[in-house]
Amino acid sequence: MVKKDIHKLLKMLGCTRIKETRRAVMGNCPFAPYLHEGGRDFRPSFGIFEGKNSYFNCFTCGKSGRLSYLPFLLYQYSGKYNKFINSFIQANDYSPELPPPKKITETKDNEALHDMLGTFEMPQPKMGLYDNEKNIELWSLRYDPEEKALVFPIFDKDKNLVALKGRVVGKHSFFQYNEFPIKQAGIWYGMHIKTKYKKVILVEGERDAILLSYRGIPVWASMGAEVTESQISTLRKSDKAFILFFDNDKAGRKLRDQIIKKCGVFNDLYAVTDYCHCKDPAQLAERGLLGKALRSVKPVSLLAKQKIT
């Protein structure tokens, strides 16, 4: 679907604050009443990507898929089927009906992405923030001046570069430079960084992971508030114990409970129980409260007795 038609579709979906990025058109998420904290999307976090294989993705709630699936997915939550939206997508989206992506059993290093990464600039270091000198090197961070975005290289467990993600500086706006299905491949952001520690912290966002790693803590990020079965399988196969430190909101608690349910018999699990009234690990780090939060880590068996604040 071309950007002109994406603008029309977003308006039909009731999206506001519509804006364009390099490869997508962003607007407020139509799933916000059902999946976002407080039922609202305060940032334009829902994007529809242009091209022959158009797809949608919300960088807050994690809902994503082929554009042709969107009307039916909305119906599951709202109970209302909009035939006009479905007809508009069928008339203007040229991608064929395809099944969900198959599970990826192996990945390989992408030379073209290495070349692209080499064209970007080094971020300016700011001590105490996620783009300090130590983290620039550890996470191979780069800056795209054209998009005004910090670039996050995504590596698999064998350190193969498989994708590049961008975050527009000063905005909660993400995009991906290539169409590799990162999460379907079972990848967690940061899993390529080797560590001697037996425990790894699990968070949602790349920025959470980077801010925590600055303090020498091994961290993996799910890259959103939802995980795939392949990502679950990655955890189950690991010999690590995991500390659950997802965002302190409805979506984060749902993700925590999902990991406990699906990995509890495979991995030793712990959870942060005191968020000091902060919304996520990044905010805790910025306010100097990270140490206090980490001292509240308890085995998940005690979660029912511990109130998370």
Side-chain angles (χ1 to χ4, degrees):
M1 184 175 287
V2 298
K3 284 186 175 179
K4 180 181 70 173
D5 291 330
I6 294 175
H7 274 274
K8 294 179 182 178
L9 177 57
L10 287 173
K11 291 178 180 178
M12 293 174 69
L13 290 167
C15 300
T16 58
R17 302 176 66 185
I18 297 173
K19 66 175 186 178
E20 290 189 10
T21 65
R22 178 172 170 267
R23 295 181 53 246
V25 183
M26 308 292 296
N28 293 75
C29 181
F31 296 99
Y34 320 104
L35 299 175
H36 290 221
E37 183 74 9
R40 297 179 63 188
D41 184 11
F42 294 97
R43 303 183 181 92
S45 56
F46 179 83
I48 297 177
F49 292 76
E50 68 172 342
K52 293 183 178 180
N53 294 306
S54 294
Y55 63 97
F56 64 92
N57 182 68
C58 177
F59 294 98
T60 297
C61 67
K63 282 298 177 186
S64 63
R66 297 280 181 189
L67 195 54
S68 55
Y69 298 157
L70 181 58
F72 306 100
L73 193 58
L74 283 169
Y75 171 70
Q76 293 177 15
Y77 287 92
S78 68
K80 299 177 181 179
Y81 175 66
N82 192 318
K83 63 179 181 180
F84 298 106
I85 289 178
N86 186 49
S87 297
F88 182 84
I89 291 174
Q90 290 183 0
N92 296 282
D93 183 33
Y94 311 113
S95 59
E97 286 284 352
L98 295 174
K102 296 180 180 179
K103 182 178 179 180
I104 298 172
T105 57
E106 61 180 23
T107 55
K108 62 180 181 179
D109 208 32
N110 190 319
E111 294 183 6
L113 289 183
H114 278 287
D115 293 339
M116 180 183 291
L117 191 63
T119 66
F120 296 140
E121 300 176 358
M122 298 291 288
Q124 292 297 316
K126 298 176 182 178
M127 296 306 296
L129 297 178
Y130 60 87
D131 56 346
N132 59 72
E133 290 180 346
K134 178 181 177 181
N135 281 333
I136 289 173
E137 180 180 356
L138 180 64
W139 297 90
S140 303
L141 301 176
R142 294 295 184 271
Y143 178 71
D144 181 350
E146 181 179 343
E147 296 292 338
K148 298 181 180 178
L150 191 69
V151 179
F152 302 91
I154 309 296
F155 299 90
D156 67 9
K157 63 181 178 62
D158 298 317
K159 297 186 178 181
N160 294 316
L161 178 62
V162 297
L164 295 177
K165 291 183 67 176
R167 174 174 176 160
V168 179
V169 175
K171 300 180 181 180
H172 194 73
S173 177
F174 292 84
F175 60 91
Q176 190 170 323
Y177 288 87
N178 62 322
E179 296 185 4
F180 180 82
I182 303 168
K183 301 177 74 162
Q184 284 78 11
I187 294 172
W188 290 73
Y189 182 65
M191 65 185 299
H192 67 288
I193 300 175
K194 303 303 179 184
T195 177
K196 62 182 179 181
Y197 295 101
K198 297 297 183 181
K199 293 180 181 178
V200 172
I201 294 178
L202 300 183
V203 297
E204 288 183 35
E206 294 90 342
R207 187 165 178 266
D208 295 322
I210 294 171
L211 274 169
L212 267 65
S213 72
Y214 175 63
R215 291 152 178 82
I217 304 169
V219 191
W220 295 1
S222 59
M223 296 173 283
E226 291 193 356
V227 293
T228 65
E229 287 300 321
S230 296
Q231 287 178 302
I232 293 289
S233 179
T234 296
L235 299 183
R236 288 175 170 179
K237 294 176 181 178
S238 174
D239 61 354
K240 301 290 186 183
F242 294 107
I243 299 172
L244 310 183
F245 200 3
F246 302 117
D247 289 2
N248 187 27
D249 56 21
K250 182 179 179 181
R253 290 186 285 273
K254 180 180 178 181
L255 178 55
R256 179 199 67 198
D257 293 343
Q258 180 185 4
I259 298 296
I260 292 173
K261 179 180 179 180
K262 295 194 173 185
C263 298
V265 298
F266 296 90
N267 309 95
D268 291 330
L269 299 178
Y270 302 80
V272 170
T273 59
D274 184 4
Y275 280 76
C276 307
H277 304 287
C278 292
K279 64 180 181 179
D280 55 33
Q283 189 176 69
L284 281 160
E286 291 169 341
R287 294 183 178 181
L289 296 171
L290 186 59
K292 182 179 179 181
L294 291 176
R295 287 192 293 272
S296 75
V297 170
K298 305 290 183 184
V300 296
S301 58
L302 300 179
L303 272 179
K305 302 177 182 179
Q306 185 80 32
K307 182 180 179 181
I308 297 179
T309 57

